[in-house]
Amino acid sequence: MNSGNTANNWIDSLQAFYSGVQVLDNDLDEAICFHALYFAIWKKFSVLPERYNWNLKLPDVYFYPLRPEFAEATYFLYRATKSPFYLNVAKLIIENLNDITRVKCGFATVHDVLDKSLEDRMESFFLSETIKYLYLTFDKENYLNNEGEAEYVFTTEGHMLPIKKLNQIKFKQENQDKNYRFSHESNENVFSHKLRYSLPMKISYFEQLFDMIGLSDNLTDLLLEKSFNC
């Protein structure tokens, strides 16, 4: 940190959640960029390796235990921007999970993201978090996406914590209006209607990330305008 020297050459899948934290802090530009990095890795393997070496452009740790962090960040970015791009990303996640990990009795951990071999294991967080965030991304009428957005906050384990009373106490102390709306709801107005139906960042920036990841796919299925007819 003090020298600027490279500490390591890898990022892990757990870090994907940080885009959601950035959204809640109203740091949308950084959230969009950070999410795009993990999107490129997901698109390369159709799942997310536990640890990815950006220098070698290969995984360091090859398994994918159905983690929720990328789906979580996708959900928060869609709620903040309403950009159909993130609906397409969530749709891609669902399709890949169904194609690669679905088995007779549920969904299986991917043992190796290269050969897509599976393990006889499904972590509990897949149902409590991964599926929850993907479901909520598309359920526009869900209470948590409307009135509940100001009354609950998700923990890092996908549990809902009530915050309405805390907000009432806080804003009573600050003598603010009782009709308080949770801060990240204001993100819905950050993206204009026009921008919501375009890519969340310039194609050239996506291309730089894809090149860094070693992604040869031109991503036309998600990057062309025809993908935004949701």
Side-chain angles (χ1 to χ4, degrees):
M1 181 178 70
N2 295 322
S3 67
N5 295 330
T6 301
N8 60 59
N9 297 315
W10 55 264
I11 56 176
D12 67 39
S13 61
L14 290 170
Q15 293 172 270
F17 91 99
Y18 192 64
S19 295
V21 176
Q22 291 172 312
V23 168
L24 295 177
D25 193 42
N26 288 310
D27 192 4
L28 272 180
D29 288 341
E30 289 297 324
I32 287 168
C33 291
F34 196 69
H35 178 274
L37 171 62
Y38 280 92
F39 164 66
I41 299 173
W42 181 284
K43 196 67 171 65
K44 182 174 183 177
F45 299 103
S46 299
V47 288
L48 208 59
E50 186 72 356
R51 182 179 293 176
Y52 183 79
N53 189 309
W54 48 265
N55 188 39
L56 298 177
K57 299 183 179 181
L58 286 170
D60 274 347
V61 181
Y62 286 77
F63 69 90
Y64 169 63
L66 307 171
R67 291 200 185 279
E69 285 75 16
F70 182 57
E72 175 185 359
T74 302
Y75 165 70
F76 278 110
L77 273 163
Y78 177 66
R79 294 300 307 158
T81 66
K82 295 300 189 296
S83 170
F85 174 79
Y86 296 108
L87 288 180
N88 278 279
V89 175
K91 178 174 178 285
L92 177 69
I93 295 172
I94 293 170
E95 290 174 345
N96 291 157
L97 289 174
N98 276 322
D99 292 342
I100 297 170
T101 72
R102 188 154 193 165
V103 291
K104 184 177 180 180
C105 297
F107 293 79
T109 288
V110 178
H111 178 70
D112 188 326
V113 300
L114 298 182
D115 63 20
K116 304 301 187 291
S117 55
L118 303 177
E119 299 180 12
D120 186 15
R121 178 165 63 102
M122 184 180 78
E123 302 287 353
S124 60
F125 53 67
F126 176 71
L127 296 179
S128 64
E129 298 181 68
T130 310
I131 294 300
K132 180 188 294 180
Y133 286 119
L134 291 171
Y135 178 85
L136 286 173
T137 301
F138 293 96
D139 188 11
K140 297 180 180 180
E141 304 304 318
N142 194 286
Y143 178 78
L144 291 172
N145 289 333
N146 294 281
E147 296 91 342
E149 204 164 31
E151 299 178 3
Y152 293 91
V153 66
F154 287 104
T155 70
T156 56
E157 299 302 319
H159 303 305
M160 295 164 287
L161 291 181
I163 59 172
K164 185 176 181 179
K165 290 185 178 180
L166 292 176
N167 285 332
Q168 290 173 341
I169 294 172
K170 175 183 176 182
F171 288 97
K172 183 178 180 181
Q173 293 172 342
E174 296 178 358
N175 296 316
Q176 294 204 9
D177 186 78
K178 293 182 180 179
N179 295 322
Y180 166 71
R181 294 177 68 80
F182 191 39
S183 61
H184 78 267
E185 287 186 301
S186 61
N187 284 327
E188 296 181 10
N189 299 318
V190 172
F191 270 40
S192 68
H193 179 78
K194 181 179 180 180
L195 287 175
R196 288 177 187 174
Y197 291 90
S198 61
L199 289 172
M201 67 182 193
K202 294 180 180 179
I203 289 181
S204 60
Y205 297 162
F206 276 104
E207 290 173 343
Q208 290 175 34
L209 284 173
F210 302 154
D211 181 64
M212 185 186 81
I213 297 303
L215 183 60
S216 59
D217 191 336
N218 61 15
L219 306 184
T220 53
D221 56 336
L222 284 178
L223 297 187
L224 290 180
E225 290 183 3
K226 67 180 181 179
S227 71
F228 300 103
N229 295 325
C230 300

